[in-house]
Amino acid sequence: MTRMIAVEIAPVTLPDAVDARDAQDFLDYLEIAATVMREQSGAGVGAQKPADALERLRGATCVPLLARIAGRAAGAAQFMAPTDGGALASISVFVPRRDAGILEAMLIKAVEEQARAHWFGAVRAVSLHRPDTEGDVIPAADGGETAPRDPQARALAESGYALETVTRHPTGWGDLEYLAAEWRKDLAG
């Protein structure tokens, strides 16, 4: 017998303040994003105070999404329109390794729907990775670095994203570094 698990993906309403009664979805969204960025980069990349994040998101055309499985926050995504009037919107998908798999594909689809609803025909995604020198990799179109074929890279590639560039970033802690991979997808088609 196959058992279906219900996944609820919904936009997160930005609260008036981080201590407001309706702030829990926003705080869960931030916690998921921070957890995933730590997992993917091996560092404290992207960690920010909730009040700072709330202010930053208020100043942009942004739609945060939160995925819940049986009431538990399990993943998040974000659509962000360009602030410079550009034609390429940005998306981010955050799924902890314990829930990787189909949930990533579901969040990618949901965040692409947000981009289409805001009339964007192309999106870019940035994913973070540990610099894995062993194992299967995805080569960047620019012929430079490669990204490890980890669950997030696999989900983006399987959803039709092309890996354009990969850059190395120091973490500030000794010899540690992480990779930032930039992906692109045209939504018309």
Side-chain angles (χ1 to χ4, degrees):
M1 179 169 141
T2 303
R3 187 174 152 213
M4 300 291 286
I5 297 175
V7 176
E8 177 189 352
I9 299 175
V12 173
T13 302
L14 297 181
D16 291 332
V18 296
D19 58 355
R21 293 170 78 180
D22 64 346
Q24 191 58 54
D25 282 349
F26 177 72
L27 295 173
D28 288 347
Y29 162 81
L30 291 179
E31 179 61 30
I32 289 285
T35 296
V36 171
M37 286 191 268
R38 277 191 307 273
E39 285 178 358
Q40 292 173 342
S41 69
V45 173
Q48 56 186 322
K49 294 178 182 175
D52 294 341
L54 180 58
E55 200 58 39
R56 180 182 59 83
L57 293 177
R58 275 205 185 113
T61 300
C62 177
V63 179
L65 301 170
L66 183 64
R68 290 191 180 278
I69 298 175
R72 175 182 59 86
Q78 169 184 294
F79 158 79
M80 186 164 295
T83 56
D84 62 1
L88 194 62
S90 295
I91 66 161
S92 301
V93 177
F94 309 103
V95 178
R97 293 303 101 210
R98 69 175 184 262
D99 291 312
I102 189 98
L103 183 56
E104 265 168 324
M106 292 171 73
L107 280 163
I108 289 169
K109 184 176 179 178
V111 78
E112 286 175 355
E113 289 171 10
Q114 291 296 323
R116 285 184 187 97
H118 285 84
W119 299 96
F120 283 91
V123 293
R124 79 177 185 103
V126 175
S127 57
L128 304 179
H129 307 272
R130 294 176 187 219
D132 185 6
T133 57
E134 297 179 18
D136 196 16
V137 296
I138 299 173
D142 70 359
E145 295 277 352
T146 61
R149 193 179 296 271
D150 59 19
Q152 186 179 37
R154 202 170 26 256
L156 287 165
E158 290 172 0
S159 294
Y161 285 78
L163 178 58
E164 292 191 335
T165 61
V166 177
T167 54
R168 291 181 177 267
H169 296 277
T171 63
W173 296 294
D175 293 336
L176 297 176
E177 62 183 358
Y178 67 94
L179 304 176
E182 188 170 319
W183 306 76
R184 182 184 167 112
K185 180 178 180 180
D186 291 324
L187 297 177

